[in-house]
Amino acid sequence: VYLAPYTRASAATDNGDLLSKSTVEIARLIANRDVSAVDVVKACYDRIDAVNPQINAVVATCRERALAEATEADAMLAAGRSM
């Protein structure tokens, strides 16, 4: 599956900056193709991996499913289809 490049991704994917945004802002970044859904999922899991050992708040994850669904969402967006 070919996905068109995300031209402004470097500014939008800094995990600290990205994760400080609201879900509405993140959805807008994805829709504008400033960041991919896969990048958002990876940023969330990076944060979980960094923080959860100290706080033990997340007991189960669906990492593979989340990444697969994000990949599908990015492909749909690249094809011009709505999610």
Side-chain angles (χ1 to χ4, degrees):
V1 172
Y2 170 75
L3 300 178
Y6 291 82
T7 56
R8 295 178 296 268
S10 60
T13 57
D14 172 53
N15 286 358
D17 181 51
L18 182 62
L19 297 179
S20 69
K21 297 185 181 315
S22 72
T23 54
V24 172
E25 291 172 310
I26 292 171
R28 190 175 302 121
L29 288 171
I30 293 170
N32 292 337
R33 297 172 70 185
D34 291 327
V35 66
S36 71
V38 170
D39 288 338
V40 173
V41 170
K42 287 180 178 180
C44 290
Y45 276 111
D46 286 348
R47 183 68 177 154
I48 290 169
D49 292 342
V51 175
N52 199 54
Q54 289 81 32
I55 63 174
N56 198 30
V58 179
V59 291
T61 63
C62 300
R63 193 177 303 244
E64 293 81 18
R65 179 178 173 185
L67 287 169
E69 290 181 7
T71 299
E72 183 179 348
D74 287 338
M76 289 174 66
L77 184 61
R81 297 186 321 214
S82 62
M83 296 182 273

